[in-house]
Amino acid sequence: VGDFEKADRNFRKAIRLDPTNSSILNNYGQVLCQNQQYEKGQEMFLKANENPLYRTPEIALSNAGTCAMEAGDVNTAEKHYREALAVNPRIAPTLLQMSVLSHDLGRYLPARAYLQRYLEVGNHNAKSLWLGIRIERELGDKDALASYSLQLEKGFPDTEEARLLLESKEN
């Protein structure tokens, strides 16, 4: 709740008491990444993943990927996301993140494929629709572009993404 030092102290104590508790390690990793301690955060996520009894190792791996992305380490992020999807190929947030990452790297066909896989398990939101618009602009699929645009305008008219779409149409 905003007191990083107290949270850090309590998480370290919890880990001393139960060093293989993956939930504690994963949650501590999130706190560390939120406080820009990216290397330590990723370390906690990977320790959580090492526990063979952990029920959701793909979440820790995906969190490690997100932490790496926040640190600007795209290669490590992609590695962690791929590992997470190897464990569970239907993690909606990770599929969406891989679509974003692929788009940002100029890999538009894989970006489209990840977005389509995301839609098999998740629902569109303003961010995913805006991503779809940008992907289809690059790939030249005017029908898909029109579909994404209409969905964004109708379903999420008051969002930043809808504003960006409107601005892009004006230019």
Side-chain angles (χ1 to χ4, degrees), residues 89-97 99 111-133 135-136 144 147-148 151 156:
R90 298 179 58 82
I91 313 167
T94 307
L95 291 166
L96 189 56
Q97 286 293 81
S99 183
R112 175 194 276 166
Y114 281 115
L115 186 59
Q116 289 170 341
R117 285 176 58 193
Y118 164 77
L119 290 175
E120 293 173 8
V121 294
N123 295 314
H124 266 309
N125 56 47
K127 290 186 186 317
S128 67
L129 289 165
W130 179 239
L131 176 62
I133 289 165
I135 291 168
E136 298 308 336
S147 175
Y148 284 138
Q151 289 178 69
F156 306 93

PDB file of all heavy atoms in Angstrom, residues 89-97 99 111-133 135-136 144 147-148 151 156:
ATOM      1  N   PRO A  89      -0.074 -22.470 -23.338  1.00  0.00           N
ATOM      2  CA  PRO A  89      -0.198 -21.644 -24.541  1.00  0.00           C
ATOM      3  C   PRO A  89      -1.454 -20.774 -24.590  1.00  0.00           C
ATOM      4  O   PRO A  89      -1.679 -20.088 -25.578  1.00  0.00           O
ATOM      5  CB  PRO A  89      -0.207 -22.676 -25.674  1.00  0.00           C
ATOM      6  CG  PRO A  89      -0.654 -23.945 -25.050  1.00  0.00           C
ATOM      7  CD  PRO A  89      -0.220 -23.893 -23.619  1.00  0.00           C
ATOM      8  N   ARG A  90      -2.247 -20.769 -23.512  1.00  0.00           N
ATOM      9  CA  ARG A  90      -3.506 -20.028 -23.531  1.00  0.00           C
ATOM     10  C   ARG A  90      -3.560 -18.931 -22.460  1.00  0.00           C
ATOM     11  O   ARG A  90      -4.624 -18.607 -21.961  1.00  0.00           O
ATOM     12  CB  ARG A  90      -4.668 -21.003 -23.369  1.00  0.00           C
ATOM     13  CG  ARG A  90      -4.736 -22.013 -24.530  1.00  0.00           C
ATOM     14  CD  ARG A  90      -5.854 -23.018 -24.387  1.00  0.00           C
ATOM     15  NE  ARG A  90      -7.165 -22.433 -24.293  1.00  0.00           N
ATOM     16  CZ  ARG A  90      -7.907 -22.015 -25.320  1.00  0.00           C
ATOM     17  NH1 ARG A  90      -7.439 -22.101 -26.540  1.00  0.00           N
ATOM     18  NH2 ARG A  90      -9.107 -21.514 -25.135  1.00  0.00           N
ATOM     19  N   ILE A  91      -2.426 -18.330 -22.145  1.00  0.00           N
ATOM     20  CA  ILE A  91      -2.403 -17.243 -21.168  1.00  0.00           C
ATOM     21  C   ILE A  91      -2.685 -15.936 -21.916  1.00  0.00           C
ATOM     22  O   ILE A  91      -1.825 -15.423 -22.631  1.00  0.00           O
ATOM     23  CB  ILE A  91      -1.037 -17.113 -20.473  1.00  0.00           C
ATOM     24  CG1 ILE A  91      -0.499 -18.447 -19.999  1.00  0.00           C
ATOM     25  CG2 ILE A  91      -1.116 -16.138 -19.304  1.00  0.00           C
ATOM     26  CD1 ILE A  91       0.952 -18.374 -19.607  1.00  0.00           C
ATOM     27  N   ALA A  92      -3.874 -15.423 -21.743  1.00  0.00           N
ATOM     28  CA  ALA A  92      -4.299 -14.251 -22.512  1.00  0.00           C
ATOM     29  C   ALA A  92      -3.342 -13.063 -22.381  1.00  0.00           C
ATOM     30  O   ALA A  92      -2.913 -12.513 -23.409  1.00  0.00           O
ATOM     31  CB  ALA A  92      -5.728 -13.859 -22.132  1.00  0.00           C
ATOM     32  N   PRO A  93      -2.982 -12.628 -21.176  1.00  0.00           N
ATOM     33  CA  PRO A  93      -2.103 -11.451 -21.096  1.00  0.00           C
ATOM     34  C   PRO A  93      -0.749 -11.664 -21.770  1.00  0.00           C
ATOM     35  O   PRO A  93      -0.207 -10.743 -22.380  1.00  0.00           O
ATOM     36  CB  PRO A  93      -1.926 -11.231 -19.587  1.00  0.00           C
ATOM     37  CG  PRO A  93      -3.081 -11.932 -18.959  1.00  0.00           C
ATOM     38  CD  PRO A  93      -3.409 -13.084 -19.854  1.00  0.00           C
ATOM     39  N   THR A  94      -0.227 -12.878 -21.701  1.00  0.00           N
ATOM     40  CA  THR A  94       1.072 -13.156 -22.308  1.00  0.00           C
ATOM     41  C   THR A  94       0.958 -13.164 -23.825  1.00  0.00           C
ATOM     42  O   THR A  94       1.850 -12.661 -24.525  1.00  0.00           O
ATOM     43  CB  THR A  94       1.629 -14.493 -21.788  1.00  0.00           C
ATOM     44  OG1 THR A  94       1.618 -14.466 -20.356  1.00  0.00           O
ATOM     45  CG2 THR A  94       3.038 -14.742 -22.275  1.00  0.00           C
ATOM     46  N   LEU A  95      -0.119 -13.708 -24.343  1.00  0.00           N
ATOM     47  CA  LEU A  95      -0.332 -13.673 -25.792  1.00  0.00           C
ATOM     48  C   LEU A  95      -0.423 -12.237 -26.283  1.00  0.00           C
ATOM     49  O   LEU A  95       0.152 -11.884 -27.319  1.00  0.00           O
ATOM     50  CB  LEU A  95      -1.596 -14.466 -26.162  1.00  0.00           C
ATOM     51  CG  LEU A  95      -1.484 -15.974 -25.977  1.00  0.00           C
ATOM     52  CD1 LEU A  95      -2.863 -16.624 -26.032  1.00  0.00           C
ATOM     53  CD2 LEU A  95      -0.556 -16.578 -27.032  1.00  0.00           C
ATOM     54  N   LEU A  96      -1.128 -11.412 -25.545  1.00  0.00           N
ATOM     55  CA  LEU A  96      -1.247 -10.010 -25.932  1.00  0.00           C
ATOM     56  C   LEU A  96       0.112  -9.312 -25.852  1.00  0.00           C
ATOM     57  O   LEU A  96       0.475  -8.542 -26.749  1.00  0.00           O
ATOM     58  CB  LEU A  96      -2.281  -9.296 -25.058  1.00  0.00           C
ATOM     59  CG  LEU A  96      -2.674  -7.893 -25.484  1.00  0.00           C
ATOM     60  CD1 LEU A  96      -3.197  -7.856 -26.911  1.00  0.00           C
ATOM     61  CD2 LEU A  96      -3.709  -7.327 -24.521  1.00  0.00           C
ATOM     62  N   GLN A  97       0.876  -9.606 -24.808  1.00  0.00           N
ATOM     63  CA  GLN A  97       2.202  -9.010 -24.683  1.00  0.00           C
ATOM     64  C   GLN A  97       3.116  -9.433 -25.822  1.00  0.00           C
ATOM     65  O   GLN A  97       3.899  -8.638 -26.342  1.00  0.00           O
ATOM     66  CB  GLN A  97       2.835  -9.365 -23.336  1.00  0.00           C
ATOM     67  CG  GLN A  97       2.234  -8.612 -22.173  1.00  0.00           C
ATOM     68  CD  GLN A  97       2.542  -7.145 -22.244  1.00  0.00           C
ATOM     69  OE1 GLN A  97       1.897  -6.375 -22.960  1.00  0.00           O
ATOM     70  NE2 GLN A  97       3.549  -6.717 -21.529  1.00  0.00           N
ATOM     71  N   SER A  99       2.124 -10.191 -28.786  1.00  0.00           N
ATOM     72  CA  SER A  99       1.657  -9.467 -29.960  1.00  0.00           C
ATOM     73  C   SER A  99       2.242  -8.055 -29.972  1.00  0.00           C
ATOM     74  O   SER A  99       2.730  -7.582 -31.002  1.00  0.00           O
ATOM     75  CB  SER A  99       0.125  -9.421 -29.985  1.00  0.00           C
ATOM     76  OG  SER A  99      -0.328  -8.787 -31.154  1.00  0.00           O
ATOM     77  N   ALA A 111       2.817 -10.885 -34.942  1.00  0.00           N
ATOM     78  CA  ALA A 111       1.987 -10.028 -34.087  1.00  0.00           C
ATOM     79  C   ALA A 111       0.513 -10.333 -34.311  1.00  0.00           C
ATOM     80  O   ALA A 111      -0.266 -10.459 -33.356  1.00  0.00           O
ATOM     81  CB  ALA A 111       2.272  -8.551 -34.370  1.00  0.00           C
ATOM     82  N   ARG A 112       0.130 -10.472 -35.579  1.00  0.00           N
ATOM     83  CA  ARG A 112      -1.258 -10.815 -35.906  1.00  0.00           C
ATOM     84  C   ARG A 112      -1.616 -12.189 -35.332  1.00  0.00           C
ATOM     85  O   ARG A 112      -2.685 -12.367 -34.743  1.00  0.00           O
ATOM     86  CB  ARG A 112      -1.462 -10.831 -37.409  1.00  0.00           C
ATOM     87  CG  ARG A 112      -2.866 -11.299 -37.803  1.00  0.00           C
ATOM     88  CD  ARG A 112      -2.948 -11.640 -39.272  1.00  0.00           C
ATOM     89  NE  ARG A 112      -3.195 -10.448 -40.079  1.00  0.00           N
ATOM     90  CZ  ARG A 112      -3.051 -10.416 -41.397  1.00  0.00           C
ATOM     91  NH1 ARG A 112      -2.617 -11.474 -42.056  1.00  0.00           N
ATOM     92  NH2 ARG A 112      -3.329  -9.318 -42.064  1.00  0.00           N
ATOM     93  N   ALA A 113      -0.720 -13.144 -35.482  1.00  0.00           N
ATOM     94  CA  ALA A 113      -0.990 -14.505 -34.999  1.00  0.00           C
ATOM     95  C   ALA A 113      -1.174 -14.518 -33.479  1.00  0.00           C
ATOM     96  O   ALA A 113      -2.090 -15.167 -32.971  1.00  0.00           O
ATOM     97  CB  ALA A 113       0.135 -15.445 -35.415  1.00  0.00           C
ATOM     98  N   TYR A 114      -0.324 -13.801 -32.762  1.00  0.00           N
ATOM     99  CA  TYR A 114      -0.473 -13.747 -31.301  1.00  0.00           C
ATOM    100  C   TYR A 114      -1.778 -13.058 -30.913  1.00  0.00           C
ATOM    101  O   TYR A 114      -2.458 -13.479 -29.974  1.00  0.00           O
ATOM    102  CB  TYR A 114       0.712 -13.039 -30.647  1.00  0.00           C
ATOM    103  CG  TYR A 114       1.927 -13.908 -30.511  1.00  0.00           C
ATOM    104  CD1 TYR A 114       3.090 -13.621 -31.206  1.00  0.00           C
ATOM    105  CD2 TYR A 114       1.929 -15.032 -29.677  1.00  0.00           C
ATOM    106  CE1 TYR A 114       4.221 -14.423 -31.087  1.00  0.00           C
ATOM    107  CE2 TYR A 114       3.048 -15.836 -29.550  1.00  0.00           C
ATOM    108  CZ  TYR A 114       4.192 -15.520 -30.260  1.00  0.00           C
ATOM    109  OH  TYR A 114       5.310 -16.317 -30.129  1.00  0.00           O
ATOM    110  N   LEU A 115      -2.148 -12.008 -31.635  1.00  0.00           N
ATOM    111  CA  LEU A 115      -3.406 -11.321 -31.337  1.00  0.00           C
ATOM    112  C   LEU A 115      -4.592 -12.247 -31.596  1.00  0.00           C
ATOM    113  O   LEU A 115      -5.540 -12.287 -30.810  1.00  0.00           O
ATOM    114  CB  LEU A 115      -3.526 -10.029 -32.152  1.00  0.00           C
ATOM    115  CG  LEU A 115      -4.734  -9.156 -31.831  1.00  0.00           C
ATOM    116  CD1 LEU A 115      -4.734  -8.722 -30.366  1.00  0.00           C
ATOM    117  CD2 LEU A 115      -4.752  -7.929 -32.748  1.00  0.00           C
ATOM    118  N   GLN A 116      -4.540 -13.016 -32.669  1.00  0.00           N
ATOM    119  CA  GLN A 116      -5.615 -13.967 -32.952  1.00  0.00           C
ATOM    120  C   GLN A 116      -5.685 -15.039 -31.872  1.00  0.00           C
ATOM    121  O   GLN A 116      -6.778 -15.427 -31.449  1.00  0.00           O
ATOM    122  CB  GLN A 116      -5.419 -14.585 -34.337  1.00  0.00           C
ATOM    123  CG  GLN A 116      -5.687 -13.602 -35.453  1.00  0.00           C
ATOM    124  CD  GLN A 116      -5.272 -14.104 -36.825  1.00  0.00           C
ATOM    125  OE1 GLN A 116      -4.483 -15.034 -36.966  1.00  0.00           O
ATOM    126  NE2 GLN A 116      -5.811 -13.460 -37.859  1.00  0.00           N
ATOM    127  N   ARG A 117      -4.529 -15.516 -31.421  1.00  0.00           N
ATOM    128  CA  ARG A 117      -4.520 -16.508 -30.327  1.00  0.00           C
ATOM    129  C   ARG A 117      -5.078 -15.898 -29.046  1.00  0.00           C
ATOM    130  O   ARG A 117      -5.796 -16.556 -28.294  1.00  0.00           O
ATOM    131  CB  ARG A 117      -3.101 -17.029 -30.093  1.00  0.00           C
ATOM    132  CG  ARG A 117      -2.641 -18.002 -31.163  1.00  0.00           C
ATOM    133  CD  ARG A 117      -1.210 -18.442 -30.972  1.00  0.00           C
ATOM    134  NE  ARG A 117      -0.980 -19.077 -29.675  1.00  0.00           N
ATOM    135  CZ  ARG A 117       0.221 -19.316 -29.182  1.00  0.00           C
ATOM    136  NH1 ARG A 117       1.316 -18.987 -29.861  1.00  0.00           N
ATOM    137  NH2 ARG A 117       0.351 -19.896 -27.996  1.00  0.00           N
ATOM    138  N   TYR A 118      -4.749 -14.640 -28.802  1.00  0.00           N
ATOM    139  CA  TYR A 118      -5.284 -13.933 -27.638  1.00  0.00           C
ATOM    140  C   TYR A 118      -6.812 -13.926 -27.683  1.00  0.00           C
ATOM    141  O   TYR A 118      -7.475 -14.172 -26.674  1.00  0.00           O
ATOM    142  CB  TYR A 118      -4.743 -12.502 -27.596  1.00  0.00           C
ATOM    143  CG  TYR A 118      -5.500 -11.584 -26.672  1.00  0.00           C
ATOM    144  CD1 TYR A 118      -5.313 -11.644 -25.294  1.00  0.00           C
ATOM    145  CD2 TYR A 118      -6.423 -10.667 -27.167  1.00  0.00           C
ATOM    146  CE1 TYR A 118      -6.016 -10.818 -24.440  1.00  0.00           C
ATOM    147  CE2 TYR A 118      -7.124  -9.831 -26.327  1.00  0.00           C
ATOM    148  CZ  TYR A 118      -6.923  -9.910 -24.963  1.00  0.00           C
ATOM    149  OH  TYR A 118      -7.636  -9.086 -24.118  1.00  0.00           O
ATOM    150  N   LEU A 119      -7.375 -13.662 -28.855  1.00  0.00           N
ATOM    151  CA  LEU A 119      -8.831 -13.569 -28.983  1.00  0.00           C
ATOM    152  C   LEU A 119      -9.528 -14.910 -28.777  1.00  0.00           C
ATOM    153  O   LEU A 119     -10.721 -14.946 -28.506  1.00  0.00           O
ATOM    154  CB  LEU A 119      -9.203 -12.977 -30.335  1.00  0.00           C
ATOM    155  CG  LEU A 119      -8.863 -11.497 -30.452  1.00  0.00           C
ATOM    156  CD1 LEU A 119      -9.146 -10.995 -31.845  1.00  0.00           C
ATOM    157  CD2 LEU A 119      -9.613 -10.689 -29.409  1.00  0.00           C
ATOM    158  N   GLU A 120      -8.792 -16.007 -28.893  1.00  0.00           N
ATOM    159  CA  GLU A 120      -9.373 -17.318 -28.607  1.00  0.00           C
ATOM    160  C   GLU A 120      -9.629 -17.509 -27.120  1.00  0.00           C
ATOM    161  O   GLU A 120     -10.468 -18.306 -26.729  1.00  0.00           O
ATOM    162  CB  GLU A 120      -8.452 -18.429 -29.106  1.00  0.00           C
ATOM    163  CG  GLU A 120      -8.335 -18.490 -30.619  1.00  0.00           C
ATOM    164  CD  GLU A 120      -7.292 -19.482 -31.084  1.00  0.00           C
ATOM    165  OE1 GLU A 120      -6.752 -20.243 -30.255  1.00  0.00           O
ATOM    166  OE2 GLU A 120      -6.998 -19.486 -32.297  1.00  0.00           O
ATOM    167  N   VAL A 121      -8.907 -16.764 -26.278  1.00  0.00           N
ATOM    168  CA  VAL A 121      -9.019 -16.947 -24.830  1.00  0.00           C
ATOM    169  C   VAL A 121      -9.372 -15.662 -24.082  1.00  0.00           C
ATOM    170  O   VAL A 121      -9.681 -15.700 -22.896  1.00  0.00           O
ATOM    171  CB  VAL A 121      -7.722 -17.542 -24.230  1.00  0.00           C
ATOM    172  CG1 VAL A 121      -7.494 -18.949 -24.733  1.00  0.00           C
ATOM    173  CG2 VAL A 121      -6.512 -16.674 -24.530  1.00  0.00           C
ATOM    174  N   GLY A 122      -9.320 -14.523 -24.761  1.00  0.00           N
ATOM    175  CA  GLY A 122      -9.597 -13.244 -24.120  1.00  0.00           C
ATOM    176  C   GLY A 122     -10.551 -12.415 -24.947  1.00  0.00           C
ATOM    177  O   GLY A 122     -10.973 -12.822 -26.038  1.00  0.00           O
ATOM    178  N   ASN A 123     -10.905 -11.276 -24.432  1.00  0.00           N
ATOM    179  CA  ASN A 123     -11.808 -10.362 -25.113  1.00  0.00           C
ATOM    180  C   ASN A 123     -11.071  -9.092 -25.500  1.00  0.00           C
ATOM    181  O   ASN A 123     -10.139  -8.673 -24.806  1.00  0.00           O
ATOM    182  CB  ASN A 123     -12.991 -10.000 -24.211  1.00  0.00           C
ATOM    183  CG  ASN A 123     -13.861 -11.193 -23.921  1.00  0.00           C
ATOM    184  OD1 ASN A 123     -14.193 -11.953 -24.817  1.00  0.00           O
ATOM    185  ND2 ASN A 123     -14.199 -11.374 -22.658  1.00  0.00           N
ATOM    186  N   HIS A 124     -11.538  -8.500 -26.583  1.00  0.00           N
ATOM    187  CA  HIS A 124     -10.939  -7.236 -26.996  1.00  0.00           C
ATOM    188  C   HIS A 124     -11.154  -6.174 -25.936  1.00  0.00           C
ATOM    189  O   HIS A 124     -12.169  -6.144 -25.244  1.00  0.00           O
ATOM    190  CB  HIS A 124     -11.565  -6.749 -28.303  1.00  0.00           C
ATOM    191  CG  HIS A 124     -10.807  -7.164 -29.516  1.00  0.00           C
ATOM    192  ND1 HIS A 124      -9.454  -6.965 -29.677  1.00  0.00           N
ATOM    193  CD2 HIS A 124     -11.226  -7.758 -30.658  1.00  0.00           C
ATOM    194  CE1 HIS A 124      -9.079  -7.412 -30.853  1.00  0.00           C
ATOM    195  NE2 HIS A 124     -10.134  -7.912 -31.470  1.00  0.00           N
ATOM    196  N   ASN A 125     -10.178  -5.317 -25.848  1.00  0.00           N
ATOM    197  CA  ASN A 125     -10.293  -4.090 -25.080  1.00  0.00           C
ATOM    198  C   ASN A 125      -9.733  -2.988 -25.981  1.00  0.00           C
ATOM    199  O   ASN A 125      -9.317  -3.258 -27.114  1.00  0.00           O
ATOM    200  CB  ASN A 125      -9.548  -4.197 -23.742  1.00  0.00           C
ATOM    201  CG  ASN A 125      -8.081  -4.568 -23.919  1.00  0.00           C
ATOM    202  OD1 ASN A 125      -7.372  -3.995 -24.740  1.00  0.00           O
ATOM    203  ND2 ASN A 125      -7.628  -5.551 -23.156  1.00  0.00           N
ATOM    204  N   ALA A 126      -9.726  -1.778 -25.509  1.00  0.00           N
ATOM    205  CA  ALA A 126      -9.262  -0.671 -26.349  1.00  0.00           C
ATOM    206  C   ALA A 126      -7.816  -0.887 -26.789  1.00  0.00           C
ATOM    207  O   ALA A 126      -7.466  -0.622 -27.946  1.00  0.00           O
ATOM    208  CB  ALA A 126      -9.417   0.647 -25.597  1.00  0.00           C
ATOM    209  N   LYS A 127      -6.977  -1.371 -25.895  1.00  0.00           N
ATOM    210  CA  LYS A 127      -5.562  -1.564 -26.234  1.00  0.00           C
ATOM    211  C   LYS A 127      -5.381  -2.645 -27.294  1.00  0.00           C
ATOM    212  O   LYS A 127      -4.590  -2.483 -28.224  1.00  0.00           O
ATOM    213  CB  LYS A 127      -4.768  -1.909 -24.980  1.00  0.00           C
ATOM    214  CG  LYS A 127      -4.624  -0.750 -24.011  1.00  0.00           C
ATOM    215  CD  LYS A 127      -3.714  -1.094 -22.861  1.00  0.00           C
ATOM    216  CE  LYS A 127      -3.666  -0.021 -21.802  1.00  0.00           C
ATOM    217  NZ  LYS A 127      -3.574   1.331 -22.224  1.00  0.00           N
ATOM    218  N   SER A 128      -6.110  -3.752 -27.170  1.00  0.00           N
ATOM    219  CA  SER A 128      -5.952  -4.833 -28.150  1.00  0.00           C
ATOM    220  C   SER A 128      -6.500  -4.410 -29.517  1.00  0.00           C
ATOM    221  O   SER A 128      -5.933  -4.766 -30.555  1.00  0.00           O
ATOM    222  CB  SER A 128      -6.622  -6.122 -27.671  1.00  0.00           C
ATOM    223  OG  SER A 128      -8.026  -5.990 -27.616  1.00  0.00           O
ATOM    224  N   LEU A 129      -7.581  -3.650 -29.522  1.00  0.00           N
ATOM    225  CA  LEU A 129      -8.124  -3.174 -30.787  1.00  0.00           C
ATOM    226  C   LEU A 129      -7.169  -2.186 -31.464  1.00  0.00           C
ATOM    227  O   LEU A 129      -6.947  -2.257 -32.670  1.00  0.00           O
ATOM    228  CB  LEU A 129      -9.500  -2.537 -30.581  1.00  0.00           C
ATOM    229  CG  LEU A 129     -10.614  -3.533 -30.250  1.00  0.00           C
ATOM    230  CD1 LEU A 129     -11.829  -2.809 -29.706  1.00  0.00           C
ATOM    231  CD2 LEU A 129     -10.969  -4.353 -31.481  1.00  0.00           C
ATOM    232  N   TRP A 130      -6.606  -1.281 -30.695  1.00  0.00           N
ATOM    233  CA  TRP A 130      -5.647  -0.333 -31.247  1.00  0.00           C
ATOM    234  C   TRP A 130      -4.423  -1.067 -31.781  1.00  0.00           C
ATOM    235  O   TRP A 130      -3.897  -0.738 -32.840  1.00  0.00           O
ATOM    236  CB  TRP A 130      -5.275   0.709 -30.196  1.00  0.00           C
ATOM    237  CG  TRP A 130      -4.265   1.719 -30.646  1.00  0.00           C
ATOM    238  CD1 TRP A 130      -3.047   1.963 -30.079  1.00  0.00           C
ATOM    239  CD2 TRP A 130      -4.364   2.627 -31.758  1.00  0.00           C
ATOM    240  NE1 TRP A 130      -2.396   2.960 -30.774  1.00  0.00           N
ATOM    241  CE2 TRP A 130      -3.180   3.391 -31.811  1.00  0.00           C
ATOM    242  CE3 TRP A 130      -5.340   2.854 -32.718  1.00  0.00           C
ATOM    243  CZ2 TRP A 130      -2.942   4.360 -32.768  1.00  0.00           C
ATOM    244  CZ3 TRP A 130      -5.110   3.825 -33.689  1.00  0.00           C
ATOM    245  CH2 TRP A 130      -3.920   4.561 -33.706  1.00  0.00           C
ATOM    246  N   LEU A 131      -4.000  -2.097 -31.080  1.00  0.00           N
ATOM    247  CA  LEU A 131      -2.893  -2.919 -31.562  1.00  0.00           C
ATOM    248  C   LEU A 131      -3.265  -3.589 -32.883  1.00  0.00           C
ATOM    249  O   LEU A 131      -2.485  -3.576 -33.836  1.00  0.00           O
ATOM    250  CB  LEU A 131      -2.514  -3.970 -30.516  1.00  0.00           C
ATOM    251  CG  LEU A 131      -1.437  -4.968 -30.918  1.00  0.00           C
ATOM    252  CD1 LEU A 131      -0.118  -4.264 -31.219  1.00  0.00           C
ATOM    253  CD2 LEU A 131      -1.268  -6.007 -29.806  1.00  0.00           C
ATOM    254  N   GLY A 132      -4.470  -4.157 -32.942  1.00  0.00           N
ATOM    255  CA  GLY A 132      -4.935  -4.781 -34.176  1.00  0.00           C
ATOM    256  C   GLY A 132      -4.965  -3.797 -35.337  1.00  0.00           C
ATOM    257  O   GLY A 132      -4.582  -4.131 -36.466  1.00  0.00           O
ATOM    258  N   ILE A 133      -5.396  -2.586 -35.083  1.00  0.00           N
ATOM    259  CA  ILE A 133      -5.427  -1.541 -36.115  1.00  0.00           C
ATOM    260  C   ILE A 133      -4.017  -1.275 -36.633  1.00  0.00           C
ATOM    261  O   ILE A 133      -3.787  -1.229 -37.849  1.00  0.00           O
ATOM    262  CB  ILE A 133      -6.054  -0.245 -35.546  1.00  0.00           C
ATOM    263  CG1 ILE A 133      -7.565  -0.450 -35.333  1.00  0.00           C
ATOM    264  CG2 ILE A 133      -5.770   0.965 -36.444  1.00  0.00           C
ATOM    265  CD1 ILE A 133      -8.220   0.602 -34.461  1.00  0.00           C
ATOM    266  N   ILE A 135      -1.388  -3.224 -36.476  1.00  0.00           N
ATOM    267  CA  ILE A 135      -0.875  -4.408 -37.181  1.00  0.00           C
ATOM    268  C   ILE A 135      -1.449  -4.464 -38.591  1.00  0.00           C
ATOM    269  O   ILE A 135      -0.724  -4.648 -39.572  1.00  0.00           O
ATOM    270  CB  ILE A 135      -1.220  -5.699 -36.406  1.00  0.00           C
ATOM    271  CG1 ILE A 135      -0.435  -5.774 -35.095  1.00  0.00           C
ATOM    272  CG2 ILE A 135      -0.960  -6.937 -37.267  1.00  0.00           C
ATOM    273  CD1 ILE A 135      -0.926  -6.857 -34.133  1.00  0.00           C
ATOM    274  N   GLU A 136      -2.759  -4.313 -38.703  1.00  0.00           N
ATOM    275  CA  GLU A 136      -3.404  -4.445 -40.020  1.00  0.00           C
ATOM    276  C   GLU A 136      -3.044  -3.298 -40.949  1.00  0.00           C
ATOM    277  O   GLU A 136      -3.017  -3.485 -42.166  1.00  0.00           O
ATOM    278  CB  GLU A 136      -4.913  -4.605 -39.862  1.00  0.00           C
ATOM    279  CG  GLU A 136      -5.324  -5.851 -39.102  1.00  0.00           C
ATOM    280  CD  GLU A 136      -4.720  -7.150 -39.634  1.00  0.00           C
ATOM    281  OE1 GLU A 136      -4.346  -7.234 -40.824  1.00  0.00           O
ATOM    282  OE2 GLU A 136      -4.614  -8.107 -38.842  1.00  0.00           O
ATOM    283  N   ALA A 144      -9.883  -6.106 -42.124  1.00  0.00           N
ATOM    284  CA  ALA A 144      -9.582  -6.286 -40.698  1.00  0.00           C
ATOM    285  C   ALA A 144      -9.393  -4.930 -40.031  1.00  0.00           C
ATOM    286  O   ALA A 144      -9.862  -4.715 -38.904  1.00  0.00           O
ATOM    287  CB  ALA A 144      -8.347  -7.163 -40.515  1.00  0.00           C
ATOM    288  N   SER A 147     -12.747  -3.400 -39.448  1.00  0.00           N
ATOM    289  CA  SER A 147     -13.442  -4.107 -38.372  1.00  0.00           C
ATOM    290  C   SER A 147     -12.923  -3.671 -37.003  1.00  0.00           C
ATOM    291  O   SER A 147     -13.697  -3.349 -36.096  1.00  0.00           O
ATOM    292  CB  SER A 147     -13.276  -5.618 -38.544  1.00  0.00           C
ATOM    293  OG  SER A 147     -13.838  -6.297 -37.444  1.00  0.00           O
ATOM    294  N   TYR A 148     -11.600  -3.657 -36.855  1.00  0.00           N
ATOM    295  CA  TYR A 148     -11.013  -3.228 -35.575  1.00  0.00           C
ATOM    296  C   TYR A 148     -11.379  -1.779 -35.276  1.00  0.00           C
ATOM    297  O   TYR A 148     -11.707  -1.431 -34.138  1.00  0.00           O
ATOM    298  CB  TYR A 148      -9.491  -3.366 -35.605  1.00  0.00           C
ATOM    299  CG  TYR A 148      -8.972  -4.776 -35.469  1.00  0.00           C
ATOM    300  CD1 TYR A 148      -7.914  -5.217 -36.253  1.00  0.00           C
ATOM    301  CD2 TYR A 148      -9.502  -5.660 -34.541  1.00  0.00           C
ATOM    302  CE1 TYR A 148      -7.399  -6.505 -36.125  1.00  0.00           C
ATOM    303  CE2 TYR A 148      -9.005  -6.952 -34.403  1.00  0.00           C
ATOM    304  CZ  TYR A 148      -7.959  -7.366 -35.193  1.00  0.00           C
ATOM    305  OH  TYR A 148      -7.457  -8.632 -35.054  1.00  0.00           O
ATOM    306  N   GLN A 151     -15.008  -1.511 -34.128  1.00  0.00           N
ATOM    307  CA  GLN A 151     -15.153  -2.039 -32.766  1.00  0.00           C
ATOM    308  C   GLN A 151     -14.605  -1.060 -31.728  1.00  0.00           C
ATOM    309  O   GLN A 151     -15.208  -0.879 -30.665  1.00  0.00           O
ATOM    310  CB  GLN A 151     -14.431  -3.380 -32.630  1.00  0.00           C
ATOM    311  CG  GLN A 151     -15.095  -4.523 -33.369  1.00  0.00           C
ATOM    312  CD  GLN A 151     -14.286  -5.787 -33.228  1.00  0.00           C
ATOM    313  OE1 GLN A 151     -14.201  -6.358 -32.135  1.00  0.00           O
ATOM    314  NE2 GLN A 151     -13.666  -6.232 -34.318  1.00  0.00           N
ATOM    315  N   PHE A 156     -15.432   1.461 -27.357  1.00  0.00           N
ATOM    316  CA  PHE A 156     -14.560   2.178 -26.427  1.00  0.00           C
ATOM    317  C   PHE A 156     -14.344   3.613 -26.889  1.00  0.00           C
ATOM    318  O   PHE A 156     -13.214   4.055 -27.083  1.00  0.00           O
ATOM    319  CB  PHE A 156     -13.216   1.443 -26.314  1.00  0.00           C
ATOM    320  CG  PHE A 156     -13.353  -0.006 -25.946  1.00  0.00           C
ATOM    321  CD1 PHE A 156     -13.408  -0.981 -26.932  1.00  0.00           C
ATOM    322  CD2 PHE A 156     -13.434  -0.394 -24.614  1.00  0.00           C
ATOM    323  CE1 PHE A 156     -13.537  -2.327 -26.603  1.00  0.00           C
ATOM    324  CE2 PHE A 156     -13.557  -1.727 -24.274  1.00  0.00           C
ATOM    325  CZ  PHE A 156     -13.613  -2.702 -25.269  1.00  0.00           C
TER     326      PHE A 156
END
